Amino acid sequence: MSDVEIEITADLVRNLLREQHPDLAGLDIREVVGGWDNRQWRLGNELAVRMPRTERAPDLQRKECRWLPVLAPRLPLPVPNPVRIGEPSARFPKPWTVMTWVPGEPLDYSSISRGDHAADTLAGFLTELHVEAPADAPISEDRGDHPKKCTDAFDHFFHAVVPDDLADDVRTVWDDAVAAPEWKGPPLWVHGDLHPANVVVSDGTISGVIDFGDMFAGDPAWDLAAAWVVLPAGATSRFFDVYAQADQGTIRRARGLAALKSLFLMLMGQNGDRGLPGGKPTWGPAGRAALDRVLQGGLM
């Protein structure tokens, strides 16, 4: 995954801060486990340093720095906000950022016990996020399409991880999403990557949303898949009642995309169990639980 050969250590982070943001260099630095495109370090109690480790990570960070200050003030949950920008240097050749820290535990390491509250919270958050995006909002190159344009990815994940006894049911859900009508509304702001590792939990409910690097303007069904991927069993119907903006076609696309995302999580979990690069052991159980919720029914 990494194209940065320089080892990212606490000493490197502190030295970069001393060079570029010396007023922050005296704060405690603690590595945060996880992350995909970035390695993250807690900086004191209220900040985090995000260090890119993939080829696409700098562009994702620039996108967050451009748009999160626009979106964050009207969102009803805490989200990371850029505080400082680190410039490429001889010590580290890529840009990096200092963001606000969103307290809580990522859902792939925790659980939601207050399902109704979480459904209301997520629905309220997405209602405020899903507004018409401006003409210069980013467009995604690898997500945001109608499910019918994602069949290659679905087939790859399907053949890699779906148990034989679930294959027909999973395929039925996907085929229904492929047959659903396309999004006819204007492009809306979409987080684009709502899954358990990007949702923060406190006191048994959702308390924050992180990692907006994949945000784009497009079909909200990509976020509404979280009704199955994030929320516990029994909360999906309440979520859509509170959200109250999704027609049946959008719900069908969202359910199919939830199946796609569940299979992806299962594959990353499988890779983690095998010790493969990029694998995430905690994602496997989260993905299988999400798939079970998808197969329970449309709005169970």
Side-chain angles (χ1 to χ4, degrees), residues 8 13 29-43 47-53 61 64 80 97-102 106 197 210-211:
I8 303 172
V13 174
I29 296 175
R30 307 180 301 283
E31 186 171 10
V32 179
V33 176
W36 184 272
D37 291 292
N38 302 284
R39 291 186 65 181
Q40 189 165 227
W41 300 79
R42 286 288 301 273
L43 183 61
L47 300 174
V49 179
R50 302 183 76 196
M51 303 291 293
R53 63 177 180 180
Q61 288 197 17
E64 288 184 311
T97 56
V98 179
M99 312 284 286
T100 56
W101 175 256
V102 178
I210 60 176
D211 197 351

Side-chain angles (χ1 to χ4, degrees), residues 142-158:
D142 61 352
R143 64 194 73 201
D145 284 332
H146 188 281
K148 65 186 177 184
K149 298 181 181 179
C150 304
T151 53
D152 288 346
F154 176 82
D155 288 342
H156 172 68
F157 301 148
F158 180 89

Side-chain angles (χ1 to χ4, degrees), residues 127 239-246:
T127 298
F239 167 85
F240 280 106
D241 285 345
V242 176
Y243 181 77
Q245 298 176 185

